Amino acid sequence: MQSDPHIPDEERQPAGQPASMPALSILTEEEKREAIRDTHRFDLRRFLGMLFVIYGVLVTAMGIANPAADKAPTGGIPINLYTGVSMLVVGSAFFVWDHLAPVADEEILRHAAQSKAQAMTVDE
């Protein structure tokens, strides 16, 4: 399939993208930067990692500060210490996952362009 020579390169749809998909040219450079920044900043993995780490620190501190308190009801197992350390590991894993496999910028821009196109059709 040949592309139309009358359509500028920046307005052509990427290969494999349906014709109904909006071109990225409807987004300004500022909107593109903002979409990428906000998506990376508010990634759910960061929030989950932060919650696990905060609670892990608190539970680990309780396990270290008063180990006898949690050994009696659990049959001698320092459950707060084990649980706190486990939560720290899980929280750290979320941060590593976010760092090693961030959301692709192209995917963010595609969704942002699609959202803006939908908003534009609703406004009309």
Side-chain angles (χ1 to χ4, degrees), residues 50-118:
M50 182 174 46
L51 284 173
F52 271 106
V53 167
I54 289 170
Y55 282 114
V57 167
L58 293 174
V59 173
T60 302
M62 292 299 298
I64 292 171
N66 196 0
D70 63 336
K71 283 186 181 179
T74 60
I77 300 170
I79 197 71
N80 282 343
L81 186 61
Y82 291 164
T83 304
V85 170
S86 299
M87 292 174 83
L88 288 171
V89 169
V90 169
S92 299
F94 273 108
F95 285 127
V96 169
W97 179 23
D98 179 50
H99 181 70
L100 294 179
V103 180
D105 291 350
E106 296 81 21
E107 185 177 341
I108 296 168
L109 295 176
R110 183 173 53 84
H111 284 288
Q114 188 176 22
S115 295
K116 185 172 182 180
Q118 286 176 349

